[in-house]
Amino acid sequence: MAPCPESQHLPLVGGDATSDNDNINAPEGKSRVTVIGSGNWGSVAAKLIASNTLRLASFHDEVRMWVFEEVLPSGEKLSEVINRANENVKYLPGIKLGKNVVADPDLEHAVKDANMLVFVTPHQFMEGICKRLVGKIRAEAEAISLIKGMEVKMEGPCMISSLIREQLGINCCVLMGANIANEIAVEKFSEATVGYRESREMAEKWVQLFNTPYFMVSAVQDVEGVELCGTLKNVVAIAAGFVDGLEMGNNTKAAIMRIGLREMKAFSKLLFSSVKDSTFFESCGVADLITTCLGGRNRKCAEAFARNGGKRSFDELEAEMLQGQKLQGVSTAREVYEVLSYRSWLELFPLFATVHEICIGRLPPAAIVEYSQS
Ligand SMILES: NC(=O)c1ccc[n+]([C@@H]2O[C@H](COP(=O)([O-])OP(=O)(O)OC[C@H]3O[C@@H](n4cnc5c(N)ncnc54)[C@H](O)[C@@H]3O)[C@@H](O)[C@H]2O)c1
């Protein structure tokens, strides 16, 4: 596999885009959408999209959703239950997805007719999924990644959108934001940000596909900035969870969030000089940071970790508290740490470095507020 290039600096032109017009058609007619992933957020994404494909003439009604097949305690297959009940009983119980969502456990079959691919699996599975998809997708397919996380290789960090772009040879936008899936599932108002590289027209099409009255989407031309915000805020959420577990109070948590945001911005700009300051004020930036540090699974598991004095591992807490859902912040903290070590940047990012060292037991949870003394 070709290595992921890092720190690509692309020219930035044009402004931000929002759209709710149904006026952009795929070259050969209606677009077909497949969602690759069916966890908590994947299922909510399918629900959002399915409400729009029914409404907008430029999309086929049917939304295919690839399901990583599981056998439920009842003995039934998850994909069969989703298609019978129109509900993901394991990852999004109690929510109807829309009758036009079709669960498909066969990855190749799920993507073969699609020209709009929505990637939304935990990031650790993406390299394997991309390998399976090489040569199996339509040449004109466009992708968007809702995945928060990155891969770290010998050559350096590789964003998931770069992995998709390079391995599959297709364009890839990203969608990130203050989006705790269960809240959007019950249609509570929130916002999200599409990050795009060159094609504003394609970004507008993704906005059309996701935008609803309760899910307001806008687009910015800063794919790396948007994706890094979504990825790095999970590390800050782990730190916020430690603060909660140690009952340090709101001032401390606000301080950790501010320091975290500063490190997110500095790290992103060191990796990609094209990253825009304004991106950190979009939903994908400060808003996602706030919601993830107040709610969300990373904060919750880190709180439990600190309450147990670091004596119960994150693997154990994840298995016990998340019932099959995946933690992203701990693995992202390790990946960020690898980048910091490799580039001799550890001292520049004390919060990021300390989070990882607490996660692996090298430092106690209380060190989350002691790093600044070193
Ligand atoms: N849940 C949220 O609130 C939320 C919000 C925004 C973004 N995200 C991001 O969306 C992405 C997907 O998260 P989610 O919440 O939909 O998933 P999840 O953590 O709820 O579920 C895990 C998913 O992984 C699948 N899986 C397990 N083993 C697998 C394997 N070997 N190969 C492929 N898939 C496998 C499971 O079937 C399940 O669909 C993540 O990057 C996450 O950071 C989540």
Side-chain angles (χ1 to χ4, degrees):
M1 185 194 74
C4 252
E6 267 318 309
S7 310
Q8 301 169 29
H9 311 302
L10 288 155
L12 297 173
V13 288
D16 295 351
T18 55
S19 168
D20 193 31
N21 299 322
D22 181 16
N23 57 3
I24 304 162
N25 288 301
E28 78 309 4
K30 294 186 176 210
S31 297
R32 277 188 189 275
V33 185
T34 290
V35 178
I36 298 161
S38 54
N40 193 223
W41 185 219
S43 302
V44 176
K47 174 184 186 276
L48 281 168
I49 292 168
S51 70
N52 280 332
T53 58
L54 282 183
R55 190 175 65 83
L56 301 171
S58 55
F59 298 97
H60 278 279
D61 288 354
E62 182 186 290
V63 176
R64 217 149 255 274
M65 179 172 78
W66 173 63
V67 174
F68 177 77
E69 192 65 286
E70 296 179 49
V71 178
L72 299 173
S74 63
E76 290 175 289
K77 289 182 174 162
L78 179 59
S79 63
E80 290 172 4
V81 177
I82 295 174
N83 284 335
R84 177 170 49 72
N86 191 229
E87 185 180 321
N88 188 337
V89 292
K90 175 154 184 190
Y91 293 101
L92 192 63
I95 303 291
K96 295 295 174 198
L97 299 178
K99 289 204 183 329
N100 51 330
V101 174
V102 177
D104 188 341
D106 180 337
L107 181 61
E108 287 180 28
H109 185 260
V111 300
K112 83 178 170 42
D113 295 325
N115 46 15
M116 294 181 78
L117 301 171
V118 178
F119 287 90
V120 55
T121 70
H123 76 282
Q124 58 269 38
F125 303 128
M126 272 309 292
E127 192 158 6
I129 289 172
C130 281
K131 278 189 182 136
R132 288 174 61 192
L133 289 179
V134 172
K136 303 291 192 304
I137 58 170
R138 292 173 65 122
E140 84 283 7
E142 293 276 341
I144 194 164
S145 170
L146 278 51
I147 298 167
K148 295 175 173 172
M150 60 186 178
E151 297 269 322
V152 176
K153 306 180 175 304
M154 291 300 285
E155 310 83 43
C158 176
M159 304 312 297
I160 299 298
S161 66
S162 305
L163 187 78
I164 294 167
R165 203 176 290 121
E166 290 189 358
Q167 286 215 7
L168 302 180
I170 57 177
N171 185 39
C172 187
C173 293
V174 296
L175 181 143
M176 308 276 147
N179 302 146
I180 290 181
N182 288 331
E183 296 178 16
I184 298 163
V186 291
E187 307 192 359
K188 290 185 178 164
F189 176 78
S190 71
E191 296 180 306
T193 314
V194 164
Y196 68 100
R197 187 164 271 189
E198 276 153 7
S199 170
R200 181 178 169 135
E201 192 187 19
M202 198 58 223
E204 289 187 356
K205 184 142 189 176
W206 288 118
V207 169
Q208 275 190 328
L209 188 65
F210 282 94
N211 200 61
T212 73
Y214 63 90
F215 190 68
M216 282 202 25
V217 187
S218 55
V220 297
Q221 192 176 28
D222 184 4
V223 69
E224 285 86 8
V226 173
E227 192 168 8
L228 276 161
C229 280
T231 297
L232 297 172
K233 57 93 199 194
N234 282 334
V235 182
V236 187
I238 299 279
F242 294 151
V243 167
D244 286 346
L246 296 168
E247 298 180 9
M248 288 176 166
N250 291 335
N251 292 345
T252 307
K253 193 154 153 186
I256 290 294
M257 287 161 69
R258 190 198 72 82
I259 296 165
L261 183 62
R262 190 179 61 188
E263 291 195 11
M264 285 167 57
K265 189 169 139 207
F267 185 81
S268 304
K269 292 180 85 107
L270 274 175
L271 284 184
F272 297 94
S273 63
S274 59
V275 167
K276 294 175 175 173
D277 285 352
S278 56
T279 299
F280 294 87
F281 293 95
E282 298 290 341
S283 177
C284 64
V286 66
D288 194 9
L289 180 71
I290 292 170
T291 197
T292 315
C293 290
L294 299 183
R297 57 182 89 154
N298 291 285
R299 190 217 62 81
K300 186 166 106 178
C301 288
E303 179 182 14
F305 181 89
R307 282 196 195 284
N308 286 289
K311 293 196 171 57
R312 296 188 66 198
S313 71
F314 272 104
D315 283 347
E316 199 182 331
L317 293 167
E318 178 185 57
E320 181 181 299
M321 299 174 74
L322 300 184
Q323 283 100 38
Q325 296 190 337
K326 300 289 174 201
L327 259 190
Q328 305 285 293
V330 174
S331 52
T332 302
R334 185 191 66 243
E335 288 153 354
V336 168
Y337 194 90
E338 284 176 36
V339 176
L340 298 180
S341 308
Y342 185 75
R343 304 204 176 193
S344 304
W345 290 346
L346 277 170
E347 288 188 0
L348 296 176
F349 296 92
L351 186 136
F352 285 169
T354 303
V355 167
H356 174 66
E357 293 190 352
I358 295 172
C359 289
I360 60 169
R362 198 180 288 160
L363 290 173
I368 197 60
V369 289
E370 290 163 12
Y371 67 90
S372 56
Q373 293 168 9
S374 66

